[in-house]
């Protein structure tokens, strides 16, 4: 046994000496191979392209049951008749109440010190949100579905999104009668663009990061797991733009993006979809 062990030790030493003698060339070859393989990953046969990592998000095994497109268009037409913010808040509150979810509002005020004039610009707004409690959960986690509400003819250069509001209301009505939710669903309609969203988020999380003054939220749910914001200026569209940019460079769960892309570009829908304005949206 001692002779065999001595022979194995000698072979191991000779191998280590050979590796040490040619370590520079071995390192160079491995480096070149690694770079070449990394570049080759761009080829379609060597990468998985867009895939969903979470097993719970399988669009191929889900059955589509939403048929609220015509109702959403009707709601969008009703929104065009609203003239003031008070009318918009009242209309949203009535629609959410009729659906059967918990309805709450939040007021906020923001002062912009650099508004381009000598006087500071003060912005007032009201957020409206409804909570659909999960029948199979304990309000531990939640998902936010949001859309900005903008009045037509308010002088803003931002395109309207009232059909996004209408679609979200129609989706809320559809989700109301499904009993397999394990997370609460929060339907948020915010005013004044990101200012309203920031006010609601700070109040919900209990943080104070800006100078926005806001009222506390009378209704809450669990930790926010994901959030999807919908902006839809028209009931007809030819492409979908997926914007994943967040505040301070924060990005959402990539599975949510992958799921949206797979559903939109599937053979059933075949809607051109891309990130960051790469697709041509003709409304």
């Amino acid at each position: 046994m001692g002779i065999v062990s001595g022979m194995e030790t000698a072979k191991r030493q000779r191998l280590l000496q050979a590796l040490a003698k040619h370590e520079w060339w071995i390192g160079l070859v491995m480096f070149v191979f690694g770079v070449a393989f990394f570049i080759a990953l761009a080829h379609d046969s060597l990468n998985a392209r867009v895939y969903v990592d979470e097993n719970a998000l399988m669009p191929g095994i889900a059955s589509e049951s939403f048929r609220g497109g015509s109702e959403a268009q009707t709601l969008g037409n009703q929104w065009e008749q609203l003239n003031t913010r008070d009318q918009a808040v009242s209309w949203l509150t009535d629609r959410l109440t009729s659906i059967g979810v918990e309805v709450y509002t939040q007021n906020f005020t923001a002062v912009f010190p650099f508004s381009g004039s000598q006087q500071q610009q003060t912005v007032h707004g009201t957020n409206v949100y409804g909570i659909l409690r999960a029948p199979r959960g304990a309000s531990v986690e939640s998902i936010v579905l949001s859309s900005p509400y903008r009045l037509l003819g308010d002088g803003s250069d931002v395109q309207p999104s009232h059909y996004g509001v209408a679609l979200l209301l129609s989706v809320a009505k559809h989700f109301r009668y499904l009993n397999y939710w394990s997370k609460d669903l929060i339907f948020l309609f915010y005013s004044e663009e990101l200012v309203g969203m920031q006010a609601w988020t700070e109040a919900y999380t209990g943080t104070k990061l800006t100078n926005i003054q806001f009222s506390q939220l009378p209704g809450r749910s669990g930790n926010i797991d994901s959030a999807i914001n919908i902006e839809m200026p028209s009931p007809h569209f030819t492409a979908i733009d997926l914007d994943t940019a967040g505040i301070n460079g924060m990005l959402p769960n990539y599975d949510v993006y992958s799921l949206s892309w797979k559903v939109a570009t599937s053979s059933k829908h075949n809607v051109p979809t891309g990130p960051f304005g790469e697709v041509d949206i003709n409304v």
Side-chain angles (χ1 to χ4, degrees):
M1 295 296 293
I3 298 176
V4 175
S5 300
M7 293 177 60
E8 292 181 351
T9 302
K11 291 181 180 179
R12 187 181 300 110
Q13 290 178 351
R14 288 196 297 269
L15 176 60
L16 293 176
Q17 290 175 358
L19 292 176
K21 181 178 180 181
H22 303 286
E23 61 178 359
W24 189 89
W25 290 104
I26 295 175
L28 178 62
V29 171
M30 295 182 65
F31 175 78
V32 173
F33 176 79
V35 172
F37 183 78
F38 184 78
I39 296 175
L41 288 177
H43 196 272
D44 292 341
S45 61
L46 295 178
N47 66 72
R49 297 181 64 82
V50 177
Y51 66 94
V52 179
D53 185 62
E54 175 57 52
N55 293 329
L57 299 175
M58 291 286 106
I61 63 176
S63 59
E64 299 181 12
S65 58
F66 177 69
R67 298 293 184 271
S70 58
E71 181 182 9
Q73 187 166 354
T74 301
L75 293 174
N77 295 334
Q78 294 179 8
W79 180 272
E80 295 178 354
Q81 309 302 319
L82 305 178
N83 299 317
T84 64
R85 186 182 64 189
D86 292 339
Q87 292 179 353
V89 171
S90 178
W91 186 84
L92 288 171
T93 303
D94 292 342
R95 297 286 82 75
L96 290 173
T97 302
S98 64
I99 293 173
V101 300
E102 302 176 13
V103 185
Y104 307 98
T105 59
Q106 179 203 31
N107 298 319
F108 63 88
T109 301
V111 178
F112 295 94
F114 306 106
S115 58
S117 61
Q118 295 182 354
Q119 296 182 350
Q120 294 180 339
Q121 179 184 1
T122 303
V123 175
H124 304 277
T126 302
N127 296 327
V128 182
Y129 66 102
I131 302 178
L132 176 60
R133 301 292 179 181
R136 301 175 58 182
S139 297
V140 178
E141 293 181 323
S142 61
I143 297 177
V144 176
L145 302 175
S146 63
S147 179
Y149 70 88
R150 306 160 183 150
L151 294 175
L152 278 69
D154 60 355
S156 174
D157 56 352
V158 181
Q159 64 179 359
S161 183
H162 53 294
Y163 283 103
V165 173
L167 178 62
L168 210 55
L169 289 172
S170 183
V171 168
K173 182 178 180 181
H174 175 71
F175 287 174
R176 173 66 176 81
Y177 298 100
L178 303 179
N179 58 3
Y180 48 70
W181 301 113
S182 59
K183 299 179 182 180
D184 292 351
L185 300 178
I186 302 176
F187 300 92
L188 171 62
F189 305 91
Y190 57 93
S191 64
E192 305 302 330
E193 307 305 322
L194 291 179
V195 178
M197 174 61 80
Q198 184 71 27
W200 188 88
T201 304
E202 290 186 8
Y204 191 91
T205 58
T207 58
K208 193 71 171 65
L209 303 176
T210 63
N211 63 342
I212 303 176
Q213 303 299 321
F214 49 81
S215 60
Q216 297 301 316
L217 300 181
R220 295 173 55 86
S221 180
N223 296 329
I224 298 177
D225 182 70
S226 300
I228 300 176
N229 187 67
I230 300 175
E231 295 193 27
M232 190 174 172
S234 170
H236 308 288
F237 56 90
T238 59
I240 298 177
D241 185 16
L242 298 178
D243 189 0
T244 59
I247 298 177
N248 297 329
M250 299 180 64
L251 296 176
N253 187 341
Y254 189 73
D255 281 339
V256 177
Y257 174 89
S258 302
L259 177 66
S260 304
W261 185 88
K262 278 187 169 294
V263 172
T265 58
S266 63
S267 58
K268 181 177 182 179
H269 302 287
N270 196 23
V271 179
T273 305
F276 306 112
E278 290 187 0
V279 293
D280 184 17
I281 302 178
N282 298 316
V283 177

